[in-house]
Amino acid sequence: MDDLKISKKKPSYPISEKLDQYLSEYNRNFKLPIFYDDLLRYQGAISVFDKDDEDTLWLRVYYNEYDREEIDLALKRVYSNLVSDGNEKIFDFLNVDCIDFCTFGNSQPFRIKVRNILNDNYTHFYVKRADASRVYGLELEHMLSPNSLNFLVYKDTLIEEHIAGIPGDVFIKDILPSCTSPEKAQIAKEFVKFNERCMIRLLGDMRSYNYVVIPTHDFDQIVYKVRAIDFDQQCYEGKLNIYRPQFFKENYEMVKLVKEKITDASIDQYKIEERSIIAKRVISYKKRLTKLIHCMENDKISTDENIEHLRSVIYDYTLDMNFRHSETMGAILKHALAFVKRNYEDVNMKKLS
């Protein structure tokens, strides 16, 4: 198991004019009533502990009375536009229970808990700085994964919906050991497919705390899915293995499970299945994906050193000359998706002939 080194201080890349136009075209751009910097005006904070009295690395922040009223109203408006049509009639039934701030990691998000006072149902959303890498990651997740995503961007502020699930590190530690043998086999299969999906779309740093495991009851069994929740490292790193979750020591138990429960032939089959699904999504989202990739090709979201190293490694992996001439991370991703799509179409042509 490799001890991969991640760029701890990945720079935050601004939203380009082309990307901003793309976001407006697909209703991701919305004039927000509050900015990330507004939430930094808190007057005090206390640490948030979990049910086992362990520090979560989140701080519960507090504002003066005047600012809190203004902030609460703005956050209700954000929530309404994120999940609905912006109707203000629901404001009377909403309460902003708490605002938490995380100083750990690149994004340093605010987590907003909104509760419906009529039935005590609650949900969360996040307020972050609008980093271009993260926005590209969210859009690619929406188009190329089985999961749709909802988010809003305005200038330097990003609003993300909460992705429900059991954090991977918690799942591995507390739940995986008690899973049945068939359940472990199914989890192993999902990890193989998740690993392949991340590599193809160049989503990096999927250590166990950057994805969630989602259990769903289906007749007489529980079906598990693995879903990314952190998109900071979209198309940034130069090492290919950073885009492959299997190489992180935090995922050792998952990799061990794959070796124990799945044969090499099955692993290859699951990889083919995932590539085929992604190829179908590339075809289905052709117009939208082409516009997004065009933005990425003309955007700076990594260093020249990372780009040169990654294109060389992927060329050695695929022997596709297109990678040798890729000048940006967007171009590398474009050719990676084209490579997968081309292989899928070649297989289908052989079936027809």
Side-chain angles (χ1 to χ4, degrees), residues 79-107:
Y79 171 81
S80 179
N81 281 279
L82 182 67
V83 304
S84 185
D85 59 358
N87 194 324
E88 297 187 6
K89 292 181 180 179
I90 67 172
F91 287 8
D92 291 340
F93 311 122
L94 299 178
N95 188 70
V96 179
D97 277 11
C98 56
I99 301 173
D100 297 334
F101 179 53
C102 183
T103 59
F104 177 76
N106 285 325
S107 61

Side-chain angles (χ1 to χ4, degrees), residues 38-87:
D38 294 329
L39 295 178
L40 291 173
R41 303 198 313 256
Y42 57 86
Q43 301 295 304
I46 60 172
S47 296
V48 178
F49 295 88
D50 63 17
K51 58 183 177 62
D52 297 318
D53 286 332
E54 293 185 7
D55 193 344
T56 63
L57 302 178
W58 287 85
L59 299 174
R60 186 144 298 164
V61 298
Y62 300 93
Y63 303 85
N64 65 48
E65 186 176 349
Y66 175 77
D67 282 346
R68 184 58 195 248
E69 289 180 4
E70 183 180 350
I71 288 171
D72 279 9
L73 181 60
L75 292 175
K76 289 179 184 179
R77 185 165 286 118
V78 169
Y79 171 81
S80 179
N81 281 279
L82 182 67
V83 304
S84 185
D85 59 358
N87 194 324

